Structures are given as structure tokens and as C-alpha cells.
Short mmCIF file of all heavy atoms in Angstrom, two decimals:
data_model
loop_
_atom_site.label_atom_id
_atom_site.label_comp_id
_atom_site.label_asym_id
_atom_site.label_seq_id
_atom_site.Cartn_x
_atom_site.Cartn_y
_atom_site.Cartn_z
N ALA A 1 34.99 -38.15 52.35
CA ALA A 1 35.62 -38.71 53.54
C ALA A 1 37.14 -38.60 53.48
O ALA A 1 37.80 -38.43 54.50
CB ALA A 1 35.20 -40.16 53.73
N LYS A 2 37.70 -38.72 52.30
CA LYS A 2 39.14 -38.65 52.10
C LYS A 2 39.62 -37.26 51.71
O LYS A 2 40.82 -37.05 51.58
CB LYS A 2 39.59 -39.64 51.04
CG LYS A 2 39.37 -41.09 51.40
CD LYS A 2 39.89 -42.00 50.30
CE LYS A 2 39.72 -43.46 50.66
NZ LYS A 2 40.23 -44.36 49.59
N ASN A 3 38.68 -36.34 51.53
CA ASN A 3 39.03 -35.00 51.06
C ASN A 3 39.89 -35.06 49.80
O ASN A 3 40.94 -34.41 49.71
CB ASN A 3 39.73 -34.20 52.16
CG ASN A 3 38.79 -33.73 53.24
OD1 ASN A 3 37.59 -33.58 53.02
ND2 ASN A 3 39.33 -33.48 54.42
N THR A 4 39.43 -35.84 48.85
CA THR A 4 40.19 -36.06 47.63
C THR A 4 39.32 -35.82 46.41
O THR A 4 38.18 -36.29 46.35
CB THR A 4 40.77 -37.48 47.58
OG1 THR A 4 41.60 -37.69 48.74
CG2 THR A 4 41.62 -37.67 46.33
N LEU A 5 39.86 -35.13 45.46
CA LEU A 5 39.23 -34.88 44.17
C LEU A 5 39.93 -35.73 43.12
O LEU A 5 41.15 -35.87 43.14
CB LEU A 5 39.35 -33.40 43.81
CG LEU A 5 38.76 -32.94 42.47
CD1 LEU A 5 37.24 -32.97 42.52
CD2 LEU A 5 39.28 -31.55 42.12
N TYR A 6 39.16 -36.28 42.20
CA TYR A 6 39.71 -37.15 41.16
C TYR A 6 39.35 -36.65 39.77
O TYR A 6 38.32 -36.01 39.56
CB TYR A 6 39.17 -38.57 41.30
CG TYR A 6 39.48 -39.23 42.62
CD1 TYR A 6 38.53 -39.28 43.63
CD2 TYR A 6 40.72 -39.81 42.85
CE1 TYR A 6 38.81 -39.89 44.83
CE2 TYR A 6 41.01 -40.41 44.06
CZ TYR A 6 40.05 -40.45 45.05
OH TYR A 6 40.33 -41.06 46.24
N LEU A 7 40.20 -36.98 38.84
CA LEU A 7 39.89 -36.81 37.43
C LEU A 7 40.31 -38.08 36.71
O LEU A 7 41.50 -38.35 36.55
CB LEU A 7 40.62 -35.61 36.83
CG LEU A 7 40.27 -35.28 35.38
CD1 LEU A 7 38.82 -34.80 35.28
CD2 LEU A 7 41.21 -34.24 34.79
N GLN A 8 39.32 -38.87 36.31
CA GLN A 8 39.57 -40.08 35.55
C GLN A 8 39.59 -39.72 34.07
O GLN A 8 38.60 -39.22 33.55
CB GLN A 8 38.49 -41.12 35.82
CG GLN A 8 38.66 -42.42 35.05
CD GLN A 8 39.90 -43.18 35.46
OE1 GLN A 8 40.10 -43.43 36.64
NE2 GLN A 8 40.73 -43.54 34.49
N MET A 9 40.71 -39.96 33.42
CA MET A 9 40.89 -39.60 32.04
C MET A 9 41.06 -40.87 31.21
O MET A 9 41.93 -41.68 31.50
CB MET A 9 42.11 -38.69 31.87
CG MET A 9 42.08 -37.45 32.75
SD MET A 9 43.46 -36.33 32.42
CE MET A 9 44.82 -37.36 32.98
N THR A 10 40.23 -41.01 30.20
CA THR A 10 40.32 -42.15 29.29
C THR A 10 40.38 -41.64 27.86
O THR A 10 40.12 -40.47 27.59
CB THR A 10 39.11 -43.08 29.46
OG1 THR A 10 37.91 -42.38 29.14
CG2 THR A 10 39.02 -43.61 30.88
N SER A 11 40.73 -42.54 26.96
CA SER A 11 40.85 -42.19 25.54
C SER A 11 41.68 -40.93 25.34
O SER A 11 41.31 -40.02 24.60
CB SER A 11 39.45 -42.02 24.92
OG SER A 11 38.70 -43.20 25.04
N LEU A 12 42.81 -40.89 25.99
CA LEU A 12 43.64 -39.70 25.97
C LEU A 12 44.19 -39.42 24.58
O LEU A 12 44.50 -40.34 23.82
CB LEU A 12 44.79 -39.85 26.96
CG LEU A 12 44.39 -39.63 28.43
CD1 LEU A 12 45.44 -40.21 29.36
CD2 LEU A 12 44.17 -38.15 28.70
N LYS A 13 44.29 -38.15 24.27
CA LYS A 13 44.78 -37.67 23.00
C LYS A 13 46.03 -36.81 23.22
O LYS A 13 46.20 -36.24 24.30
CB LYS A 13 43.72 -36.82 22.30
CG LYS A 13 42.38 -37.51 22.12
CD LYS A 13 41.36 -36.54 21.55
CE LYS A 13 40.01 -37.19 21.38
NZ LYS A 13 39.01 -36.23 20.83
N PRO A 14 46.88 -36.68 22.21
CA PRO A 14 48.06 -35.82 22.36
C PRO A 14 47.69 -34.39 22.77
O PRO A 14 48.46 -33.75 23.50
CB PRO A 14 48.69 -35.85 20.96
CG PRO A 14 48.33 -37.21 20.44
CD PRO A 14 46.93 -37.45 20.95
N GLU A 15 46.55 -33.90 22.35
CA GLU A 15 46.13 -32.55 22.71
C GLU A 15 45.77 -32.41 24.18
O GLU A 15 45.56 -31.29 24.66
CB GLU A 15 44.94 -32.12 21.84
CG GLU A 15 43.69 -32.98 22.03
CD GLU A 15 42.72 -32.86 20.87
OE1 GLU A 15 43.00 -33.46 19.81
OE2 GLU A 15 41.69 -32.16 21.02
N ASP A 16 45.67 -33.52 24.90
CA ASP A 16 45.44 -33.48 26.34
C ASP A 16 46.72 -33.22 27.12
O ASP A 16 46.67 -33.04 28.34
CB ASP A 16 44.82 -34.79 26.83
CG ASP A 16 43.44 -35.03 26.26
OD1 ASP A 16 42.64 -34.07 26.18
OD2 ASP A 16 43.15 -36.19 25.89
N THR A 17 47.85 -33.21 26.45
CA THR A 17 49.13 -32.99 27.11
C THR A 17 49.18 -31.62 27.78
O THR A 17 48.75 -30.62 27.21
CB THR A 17 50.27 -33.12 26.10
OG1 THR A 17 50.35 -34.47 25.64
CG2 THR A 17 51.61 -32.74 26.72
N GLY A 18 49.71 -31.59 28.99
CA GLY A 18 49.86 -30.33 29.69
C GLY A 18 50.05 -30.56 31.18
O GLY A 18 50.07 -31.70 31.65
N THR A 19 50.20 -29.47 31.90
CA THR A 19 50.25 -29.53 33.34
C THR A 19 48.84 -29.37 33.88
O THR A 19 48.14 -28.42 33.54
CB THR A 19 51.15 -28.42 33.91
OG1 THR A 19 52.46 -28.55 33.36
CG2 THR A 19 51.23 -28.53 35.42
N TYR A 20 48.42 -30.31 34.70
CA TYR A 20 47.07 -30.31 35.24
C TYR A 20 47.09 -29.81 36.68
O TYR A 20 47.90 -30.25 37.49
CB TYR A 20 46.47 -31.71 35.18
CG TYR A 20 45.99 -32.08 33.79
CD1 TYR A 20 46.89 -32.28 32.76
CD2 TYR A 20 44.63 -32.22 33.52
CE1 TYR A 20 46.45 -32.60 31.49
CE2 TYR A 20 44.18 -32.54 32.26
CZ TYR A 20 45.10 -32.73 31.24
OH TYR A 20 44.66 -33.05 29.98
N TYR A 21 46.17 -28.91 36.97
CA TYR A 21 46.07 -28.30 38.28
C TYR A 21 44.68 -28.54 38.86
O TYR A 21 43.69 -28.48 38.14
CB TYR A 21 46.28 -26.78 38.21
CG TYR A 21 47.61 -26.35 37.65
CD1 TYR A 21 47.79 -26.19 36.29
CD2 TYR A 21 48.68 -26.08 38.50
CE1 TYR A 21 49.00 -25.77 35.76
CE2 TYR A 21 49.89 -25.66 37.99
CZ TYR A 21 50.05 -25.50 36.62
OH TYR A 21 51.26 -25.08 36.11
N CYS A 22 44.61 -28.77 40.14
CA CYS A 22 43.32 -28.72 40.81
C CYS A 22 43.20 -27.37 41.51
O CYS A 22 44.21 -26.76 41.89
CB CYS A 22 43.11 -29.87 41.79
SG CYS A 22 44.32 -30.01 43.12
N ALA A 23 41.98 -26.91 41.66
CA ALA A 23 41.73 -25.60 42.24
C ALA A 23 40.44 -25.63 43.02
O ALA A 23 39.58 -26.48 42.81
CB ALA A 23 41.67 -24.55 41.13
N ALA A 24 40.30 -24.67 43.92
CA ALA A 24 39.12 -24.60 44.77
C ALA A 24 38.65 -23.16 44.92
O ALA A 24 39.46 -22.24 44.99
CB ALA A 24 39.39 -25.20 46.14
N ARG A 25 37.34 -23.02 44.98
CA ARG A 25 36.71 -21.73 45.22
C ARG A 25 35.61 -21.92 46.25
O ARG A 25 34.77 -22.80 46.11
CB ARG A 25 36.11 -21.16 43.93
CG ARG A 25 35.41 -19.83 44.13
CD ARG A 25 34.61 -19.41 42.91
NE ARG A 25 34.04 -18.07 43.10
CZ ARG A 25 33.26 -17.46 42.23
NH1 ARG A 25 32.95 -18.05 41.09
NH2 ARG A 25 32.80 -16.24 42.50
N SER A 26 35.60 -21.09 47.26
CA SER A 26 34.58 -21.16 48.29
C SER A 26 33.30 -20.49 47.81
O SER A 26 33.34 -19.48 47.11
CB SER A 26 35.07 -20.48 49.57
OG SER A 26 34.09 -20.49 50.57
N GLY A 27 32.17 -21.07 48.18
CA GLY A 27 30.90 -20.45 47.89
C GLY A 27 30.01 -21.26 46.97
O GLY A 27 30.36 -22.34 46.52
N PRO A 28 28.85 -20.69 46.66
CA PRO A 28 27.81 -21.40 45.91
C PRO A 28 27.75 -21.11 44.42
O PRO A 28 26.73 -21.40 43.78
CB PRO A 28 26.53 -20.91 46.60
CG PRO A 28 26.85 -19.47 46.89
CD PRO A 28 28.33 -19.43 47.23
N LEU A 29 28.81 -20.57 43.85
CA LEU A 29 28.76 -20.08 42.48
C LEU A 29 29.44 -21.00 41.48
O LEU A 29 29.96 -20.54 40.45
CB LEU A 29 29.37 -18.69 42.40
CG LEU A 29 28.70 -17.62 43.26
CD1 LEU A 29 29.44 -16.30 43.15
CD2 LEU A 29 27.24 -17.46 42.87
N CYS A 30 29.44 -22.28 41.72
CA CYS A 30 30.16 -23.20 40.85
C CYS A 30 29.61 -23.20 39.42
O CYS A 30 30.36 -23.40 38.47
CB CYS A 30 30.11 -24.62 41.42
SG CYS A 30 31.50 -25.67 40.91
N ALA A 31 28.32 -22.96 39.28
CA ALA A 31 27.73 -22.95 37.94
C ALA A 31 28.31 -21.85 37.07
O ALA A 31 28.23 -21.92 35.84
CB ALA A 31 26.22 -22.80 38.04
N PHE A 32 28.91 -20.85 37.71
CA PHE A 32 29.47 -19.71 36.98
C PHE A 32 30.98 -19.61 37.20
O PHE A 32 31.54 -18.50 37.17
CB PHE A 32 28.77 -18.42 37.42
CG PHE A 32 27.28 -18.51 37.35
CD1 PHE A 32 26.53 -18.78 38.48
CD2 PHE A 32 26.62 -18.33 36.16
CE1 PHE A 32 25.15 -18.87 38.42
CE2 PHE A 32 25.25 -18.41 36.07
CZ PHE A 32 24.51 -18.68 37.21
N SER A 33 31.64 -20.72 37.41
CA SER A 33 33.05 -20.73 37.78
C SER A 33 33.90 -21.51 36.79
O SER A 33 34.65 -22.42 37.15
CB SER A 33 33.21 -21.32 39.19
OG SER A 33 32.49 -20.55 40.14
N SER A 34 33.82 -21.14 35.54
CA SER A 34 34.60 -21.79 34.51
C SER A 34 35.97 -21.16 34.29
O SER A 34 36.85 -21.77 33.68
CB SER A 34 33.84 -21.79 33.18
OG SER A 34 33.60 -20.47 32.73
N ARG A 35 36.16 -19.96 34.79
CA ARG A 35 37.39 -19.21 34.55
C ARG A 35 38.41 -19.44 35.67
O ARG A 35 38.05 -19.44 36.85
CB ARG A 35 37.11 -17.71 34.44
CG ARG A 35 36.06 -17.36 33.39
CD ARG A 35 35.83 -15.85 33.35
NE ARG A 35 35.48 -15.31 34.65
CZ ARG A 35 34.28 -15.38 35.22
NH1 ARG A 35 33.30 -16.00 34.57
NH2 ARG A 35 34.07 -14.85 36.41
N PRO A 36 39.69 -19.59 35.33
CA PRO A 36 40.71 -19.76 36.37
C PRO A 36 40.78 -18.62 37.36
O PRO A 36 41.09 -18.84 38.53
CB PRO A 36 42.01 -19.87 35.56
CG PRO A 36 41.59 -20.34 34.20
CD PRO A 36 40.25 -19.71 33.97
N SER A 37 40.46 -17.41 36.92
CA SER A 37 40.64 -16.23 37.75
C SER A 37 39.75 -16.20 38.98
O SER A 37 40.04 -15.46 39.93
CB SER A 37 40.42 -14.96 36.93
OG SER A 37 39.11 -14.91 36.41
N VAL A 38 38.68 -16.97 39.01
CA VAL A 38 37.76 -16.93 40.14
C VAL A 38 38.12 -17.93 41.23
O VAL A 38 37.48 -17.94 42.28
CB VAL A 38 36.30 -17.15 39.70
CG1 VAL A 38 35.90 -16.14 38.63
CG2 VAL A 38 36.07 -18.57 39.20
N TYR A 39 39.13 -18.74 41.03
CA TYR A 39 39.55 -19.72 42.03
C TYR A 39 40.64 -19.16 42.92
O TYR A 39 41.60 -18.56 42.43
CB TYR A 39 40.02 -21.01 41.35
CG TYR A 39 38.89 -21.77 40.72
CD1 TYR A 39 38.37 -21.41 39.49
CD2 TYR A 39 38.31 -22.85 41.39
CE1 TYR A 39 37.31 -22.10 38.93
CE2 TYR A 39 37.26 -23.55 40.83
CZ TYR A 39 36.76 -23.17 39.60
OH TYR A 39 35.71 -23.86 39.04
N SER A 40 40.51 -19.38 44.20
CA SER A 40 41.42 -18.80 45.17
C SER A 40 42.58 -19.72 45.54
O SER A 40 43.65 -19.24 45.91
CB SER A 40 40.66 -18.45 46.46
OG SER A 40 39.63 -17.50 46.21
N TYR A 41 42.38 -21.02 45.45
CA TYR A 41 43.37 -21.98 45.91
C TYR A 41 43.77 -22.90 44.77
O TYR A 41 42.92 -23.39 44.03
CB TYR A 41 42.81 -22.80 47.07
CG TYR A 41 42.25 -21.95 48.18
CD1 TYR A 41 40.88 -21.74 48.29
CD2 TYR A 41 43.08 -21.34 49.10
CE1 TYR A 41 40.36 -20.95 49.30
CE2 TYR A 41 42.57 -20.55 50.11
CZ TYR A 41 41.21 -20.36 50.21
OH TYR A 41 40.69 -19.57 51.21
N TRP A 42 45.07 -23.15 44.67
CA TRP A 42 45.63 -23.95 43.58
C TRP A 42 46.66 -24.93 44.07
O TRP A 42 47.41 -24.65 45.02
CB TRP A 42 46.28 -23.04 42.53
CG TRP A 42 45.30 -22.19 41.80
CD1 TRP A 42 44.80 -20.98 42.17
CD2 TRP A 42 44.69 -22.50 40.54
NE1 TRP A 42 43.91 -20.52 41.23
CE2 TRP A 42 43.83 -21.43 40.22
CE3 TRP A 42 44.79 -23.58 39.66
CZ2 TRP A 42 43.07 -21.41 39.05
CZ3 TRP A 42 44.05 -23.57 38.50
CH2 TRP A 42 43.20 -22.49 38.20
N GLY A 43 46.71 -26.08 43.41
CA GLY A 43 47.78 -27.03 43.65
C GLY A 43 49.00 -26.68 42.83
O GLY A 43 49.02 -25.70 42.07
N GLN A 44 50.03 -27.49 42.97
CA GLN A 44 51.30 -27.22 42.30
C GLN A 44 51.34 -27.75 40.87
O GLN A 44 52.23 -27.38 40.10
CB GLN A 44 52.46 -27.82 43.10
CG GLN A 44 52.73 -29.30 42.86
CD GLN A 44 51.65 -30.22 43.41
OE1 GLN A 44 50.83 -29.82 44.22
NE2 GLN A 44 51.66 -31.46 42.95
N GLY A 45 50.42 -28.60 40.51
CA GLY A 45 50.35 -29.14 39.17
C GLY A 45 51.01 -30.50 39.04
O GLY A 45 51.94 -30.84 39.77
#
């Protein structure tokens, strides 16, 4: 309803440090969409 994606992060570790991006890919292939290269749309981080 809000067109919002969330990532709840707990028990954070120093190795979690970085720039986090959300991304989107159209279509039914999410089960095979682990690679950044297959996503068409990206946020600024």
C-alpha cells in the first residue's frame, strides 16, 4: 500500500558496514536474481 521496501537489521556486526542499495527487477525470475547485474532499477544508496 505504501510502495515501500524494508530491511530490518538486528545484531549488527562491523562486517555489515557499507552502502546499502535497494534495487528492482521486473518479471517472475526472483528465484534466480541474486546477482546485481540482473536488476534494472537502483536507489542512490
